[in-house]
Amino acid sequence: MKVALHTPFAASKKEPLAEMAGRVHKAFLAAGLGEPSIRFTLIDAPVGRGVSAIDRVLKRHPEMQRFITHRPLMPATPDVRMISNSKTGDLCDYSLLESIAAGVPRSYPFRSVALHFYAPEFGERLIGLPAMGHSLPGVLITDNWWVNGRQRAFSVYTVYEANAGDKKLPPNPAGIDAVIKACGKAKKSVHVPILAPGGGLVTSIPPAN
């Protein structure tokens, strides 16, 4: 059976978003995992706030037009304009993403930013993992607008093949441990509920284990 773990990390807002993303990108390369597959979602500011971060990005980087899409953030809610490849995984040059991230939030006041870094060593896609990463494991950085300022989150998701009776999960590949180490101070890992065959979310291993 597949088992997924979520490991959150300390995410200081004092570290610029572009530097945090760059640290993760460099860690993939240094660990020998190659160029990571990056999925991104950049959601425009709410209507009426006066400034469109997406329009500003398109003015400076018109090549991002191909990633424009509209979809609801939750079922039965209006469509939201965004720049995203979260579903398609279409490639975008990292230097371009880094340039945009460097402008958040002053030049590009996005309502929400999600950057997801993936390599096959993290495991297989598993429904129950964040949709911003197309339900793939990997490293996820989010930076969101909130009433009391920007909210930052930094997490690693890993997927393992295990048996119900196992007391320990298999060890990570050395490259994954290297990326996790580069992410900084880890908090307690938690077991991610996954999609049950009949619908709904379940834990895939007994809580006692």
Side-chain angles (χ1 to χ4, degrees), residues 100-140:
I100 294 171
V104 176
R106 292 190 176 183
S107 298
Y108 307 129
F110 286 105
R111 172 183 177 181
S112 178
V113 174
L115 299 172
H116 178 270
F117 300 77
Y118 172 73
E121 287 82 354
F122 279 90
E124 299 178 10
R125 184 170 184 260
L126 195 62
I127 302 300
L129 296 180
M132 294 298 188
H134 195 51
S135 300
L136 287 163
V139 181
L140 178 64

Side-chain angles (χ1 to χ4, degrees), residues 68-146:
I68 294 290
T69 185
H70 296 76
R71 64 173 182 263
L73 298 180
M74 295 185 294
T77 61
D79 285 355
V80 175
R81 186 182 183 213
M82 63 183 73
I83 299 175
S84 180
N85 72 340
S86 64
K87 290 187 175 182
T88 65
D90 290 345
L91 297 179
C92 178
D93 188 75
Y94 176 73
S95 63
L96 178 53
L97 291 177
E98 186 176 43
S99 175
I100 294 171
V104 176
R106 292 190 176 183
S107 298
Y108 307 129
F110 286 105
R111 172 183 177 181
S112 178
V113 174
L115 299 172
H116 178 270
F117 300 77
Y118 172 73
E121 287 82 354
F122 279 90
E124 299 178 10
R125 184 170 184 260
L126 195 62
I127 302 300
L129 296 180
M132 294 298 188
H134 195 51
S135 300
L136 287 163
V139 181
L140 178 64
I141 300 172
T142 61
D143 186 277
N144 303 316
W145 175 86
W146 194 240

Side-chain angles (χ1 to χ4, degrees), residues 41-65:
T41 298
L42 314 172
I43 299 175
D44 215 349
V47 175
R49 289 183 62 85
V51 174
S52 169
I54 289 180
D55 287 347
R56 286 186 173 184
V57 167
L58 294 180
K59 185 175 181 180
R60 185 169 295 182
H61 306 289
E63 61 269 38
M64 296 300 288
Q65 178 68 46

Side-chain angles (χ1 to χ4, degrees), residues 24-38 94 117-122 175-176 179:
V24 173
H25 182 255
K26 290 177 182 177
F28 272 73
L29 300 180
L33 300 179
E35 189 69 31
S37 171
I38 303 176
Y94 176 73
F117 300 77
Y118 172 73
E121 287 82 354
F122 279 90
I176 300 305
V179 170

Side-chain angles (χ1 to χ4, degrees), residues 184-200:
K185 184 178 180 180
K187 301 178 183 179
K188 183 179 180 180
S189 296
V190 296
H191 182 206
V192 180
I194 62 174
L195 188 66

